Amino acid sequence: MKFVLEVALDEGVSAEDRARELGRVLRYWGGNLGHYALEPGDGSPVYDSEYREVGQWRVADSSDAS
């Protein structure tokens, strides 16, 4: 299986704030993965601390090149 996480961070904020936000996204969504079978086709939008959609995660076949 291949796990893909894509998150777009606001370039208009400091590197420290981007790192903090990415850490929050990783903790929250990493902890939430237990609710999924983690099979190809599973996925979910990813939201930031202000509940704006900033990306997605998905599970693909390991042969999926994208």
Side-chain angles (χ1 to χ4, degrees):
M1 109 177 174
K2 180 177 178 180
F3 183 87
V4 180
L5 172 66
E6 296 178 279
V7 178
L9 300 170
D10 187 355
E11 294 184 25
V13 299
S14 70
E16 182 179 328
D17 287 342
R18 286 193 309 265
R20 185 178 7 259
E21 187 64 29
L22 182 56
R24 190 205 65 77
V25 164
L26 291 170
R27 282 188 306 278
Y28 180 84
W29 291 99
N32 199 36
L33 289 175
H35 298 285
Y36 296 89
L38 294 181
E39 296 176 353
D42 283 348
S44 179
V46 173
Y47 299 93
D48 68 7
S49 58
E50 295 181 17
Y51 303 103
R52 296 176 298 197
E53 189 172 327
V54 293
Q56 67 172 340
W57 68 263
R58 64 184 172 85
V59 177
D61 287 321
S62 57
S63 62
D64 184 1
S66 59

